[in-house]
């Protein structure tokens, strides 16, 4: 997948520099949101909570044990902030919904969960990253590879 980002200020450049240093080219995998509605929330949870109830997705109970991608979720809130959670258990409620147990308590306050996306295990697709400046607009262009990467010691 090719990704492009516009960089608006010095702090963003510092963030990209730190990120690229940490990723060490293709060496270190990281998680990236799909930015899709991968799971449908059945009802807004109470706050704080360690569970989410979502509409049943065929085979999700098998998927979440098989791949890291289905264990980690990005919850996009109504104010566009994102909370990262990890699923530790899945129970079929036998009513068309699944209860996802989370590794830590999650507090949403007055916010609502707008989207639940999977976090894909990703690596940079090359050891080189293109940084460009055109007409005063800076950008970062990254090629990535998606897979269920296991971090090597």
């Amino acid at each position: 997948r090719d990704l492009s980002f516009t960089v608006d200020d010095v702090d963003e450049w510092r963030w990209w520099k730190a990120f690229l240093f940490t990723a060490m080219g293709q060496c270190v995998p990281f998680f990236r949101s799909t930015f899709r509605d991968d799971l449908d929330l059945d009802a807004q949870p109470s706050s704080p909570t360690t569970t989410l109830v979502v509409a049943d997705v065929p085979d999700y109970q098998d998927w979440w044990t098989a791949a890291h991608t289905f264990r980690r979720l990005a919850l996009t809130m109504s104010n566009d902030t994102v909370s990262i959670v990890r699923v530790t258990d899945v129970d079929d409620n036998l009513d068309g919904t699944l209860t996802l147990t989370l590794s830590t308590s999650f507090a949403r306050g007055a916010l609502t969960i707008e989207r639940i996306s999977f976090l894909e295990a990703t690596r940079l697709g090359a050891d080189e990253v293109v940084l460009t400046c055109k007409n005063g607009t800076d950008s970062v262009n990254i090629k990535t590879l998606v897979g269920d990467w296991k971090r090597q010691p």
Side-chain angles (χ1 to χ4, degrees):
R1 293 187 181 160
D2 290 345
L3 308 173
S4 278
F5 301 93
T6 300
V7 181
D8 294 324
D9 60 36
V10 173
D11 287 336
E12 284 187 61
W13 274 119
R14 287 184 185 129
W15 185 92
W16 277 107
K17 183 178 177 182
F19 171 77
L20 294 171
F21 178 79
T22 303
M24 296 172 48
Q26 298 179 64
C27 292
V28 180
F30 55 93
F31 289 102
R32 179 188 165 275
S33 175
T34 63
F35 297 102
R36 297 184 305 238
D37 293 317
D38 292 316
L39 295 174
D40 293 323
L41 191 64
D42 184 63
Q44 292 293 328
S46 59
S47 185
T49 186
T50 57
T51 61
L52 294 174
V53 179
V54 298
D56 193 357
V57 175
D59 301 322
Y60 180 73
Q61 285 184 294
D62 295 329
W63 294 346
W64 85 269
T65 57
H68 293 288
T69 297
F70 305 108
R71 290 185 215 155
R72 290 172 176 82
L73 305 174
L75 308 178
T76 303
M77 309 307 287
S78 53
N79 66 352
D80 289 329
T81 59
V82 177
S83 294
I84 305 301
V85 297
R86 187 170 56 89
V87 177
T88 59
D89 195 19
V90 178
D91 290 314
D92 190 339
N93 299 323
L94 303 175
D95 63 357
T97 64
L98 301 172
T99 297
L100 310 182
T101 302
L102 309 177
S103 62
T104 57
S105 180
F106 166 72
R108 66 176 178 84
L111 301 174
T112 57
I113 299 171
E114 299 292 321
R115 180 176 56 219
I116 302 175
S117 303
F118 295 134
L119 291 177
E120 297 178 312
T122 306
R123 288 183 189 267
L124 293 180
D127 286 330
E128 295 180 2
V129 173
V130 177
L131 307 173
T132 59
C133 182
K134 292 182 182 175
N135 300 326
T137 302
D138 298 330
S139 64
V140 178
N141 298 301
I142 300 175
K143 292 187 180 300
T144 61
L145 304 171
V146 176
D148 192 25
W149 311 104
K150 301 236 190 291
R151 186 172 179 159
Q152 300 298 319

